[in-house]
Amino acid sequence: MVRWVTPKPKSCAAVRQTTAWCNRGGPISAEPRINDRIRVPEVRLVGPSGEQVGIVPLAKALELAQEYDLDLVEVAANARPPVCKLMDYGKFKYESAMKAREARKNQAHTVIKEMKLRPKIDPHDYDTKKGHVVRFLKQGDKVKITIMFRGREQSRPELGYRLLQRLAEDVQELGFVESSPKQDGRNMIMVLGPHKKKTEAMAEAREAQAARKAGRRQEAEAPSQESAEA
């Protein structure tokens, strides 16, 4: 005797997961289609120098790519018909990677540095702390100044306020008060912003580094020139 067992219905989540796996055709590539990977009857062709060739059959576009010893690259897949360009795809990828690398190198990330002071700070310590603030502002970074009150100092907030005002005046050529002093529990906080943008500070730092390297090369070459003249 054969017993028929009715399968349990799948949950909605299981059905959705099964459907997703069935529809998944592998990872979607971000690379454009090139040459024989292009599967359309005709394309809008752009020449090697950017000239508009017009709408041509795919076979004709591939033939032109072979004549120029270039690749046929699909640059606008959603257009009707798709736009393809004749180019050296290997060279194009290399140049694109170099541009992206340079863009990441020059990308500016604003950093908020923090400097902590006491209301009755020693003059020598104040000069040291101020030197750090100056360096941060020159680098194009913001600086969060925190005055820490302890014990009876909490009843004298004016000491912290005057200290923050003094520091802001001492570095006013490099930065400005972005957030005025305000009490935060036992602390008083002020934020200084740099006058220079991060990108400008980075460019100046690279120029200064190049100048130092050039100076060292000249110093190294000077003795050899003097010996040659002698």
Side-chain angles (χ1 to χ4, degrees):
M1 182 177 178
V2 179
R3 295 182 58 189
W4 295 95
V5 179
T6 303
K8 294 181 180 180
K10 293 183 178 181
S11 64
C12 294
V15 172
R16 286 196 298 269
Q17 184 177 6
T18 303
T19 304
W21 277 103
C22 292
N23 292 335
R24 185 178 298 176
I28 299 175
S29 175
E31 297 287 336
R33 293 186 295 184
I34 65 172
N35 300 327
D36 55 354
R37 295 181 183 176
I38 303 172
R39 304 295 178 84
V40 291
E42 57 185 15
V43 298
R44 185 179 297 277
L45 186 62
V46 180
S49 301
E51 67 275 13
Q52 297 291 331
V53 179
I55 298 176
V56 300
L58 177 61
K60 178 63 176 176
L62 290 171
E63 182 182 341
L64 290 173
Q66 192 171 10
E67 289 180 5
Y68 282 103
D69 195 22
L70 296 173
D71 299 300
L72 182 66
V73 182
E74 190 178 55
V75 295
N78 295 328
R80 291 294 178 268
V83 180
C84 296
K85 185 177 181 180
L86 298 175
M87 68 173 73
D88 185 337
Y89 187 58
K91 181 180 178 181
F92 170 76
K93 285 188 65 176
Y94 173 77
E95 292 177 349
S96 298
M98 293 301 293
K99 289 179 181 178
R101 180 181 177 184
E102 190 67 21
R104 288 193 300 269
K105 182 179 178 181
N106 295 329
Q107 190 174 9
H109 295 285
T110 302
V111 179
I112 298 181
K113 304 288 187 177
E114 185 173 10
M115 188 59 57
K116 296 181 179 180
L117 295 82
R118 295 292 307 280
K120 298 179 180 179
I121 188 172
D122 179 82
H124 176 73
D125 291 339
Y126 173 80
D127 291 337
T128 301
K129 300 279 188 178
K130 184 181 70 173
H132 292 312
V133 174
V134 168
R135 178 165 54 87
F136 294 147
L137 292 174
K138 284 183 177 180
Q139 293 173 353
D141 296 322
K142 296 182 181 181
V143 188
K144 176 184 176 182
I145 312 297
T146 302
I147 305 295
M148 301 179 297
F149 296 94
R150 293 179 182 176
R152 296 180 180 179
E153 294 174 347
Q154 297 180 53
S155 62
R156 301 288 305 277
E158 68 276 6
L159 295 177
Y161 184 79
R162 286 200 295 265
L163 181 59
L164 291 175
Q165 280 188 319
R166 174 188 172 189
L167 180 60
E169 291 175 359
D170 288 344
V171 299
Q172 61 183 346
E173 294 183 0
L174 299 172
F176 62 96
V177 178
E178 185 174 283
S179 179
S180 300
K182 61 180 180 181
Q183 196 76 25
D184 183 15
R186 296 184 177 182
N187 300 328
M188 183 174 288
I189 297 173
M190 177 182 72
V191 178
L192 296 174
H195 289 312
K196 292 181 181 178
K197 295 182 179 180
K198 185 72 173 180
T199 51
E200 296 176 355
M202 291 172 62
E204 289 184 0
R206 286 195 296 268
E207 291 177 0
Q209 185 178 9
R212 287 195 297 269
K213 288 182 178 179
R216 287 195 293 267
R217 284 197 301 268
Q218 290 178 356
E219 291 177 359
E221 293 173 357
S224 59
Q225 291 178 357
E226 291 177 359
S227 60
E229 291 176 357

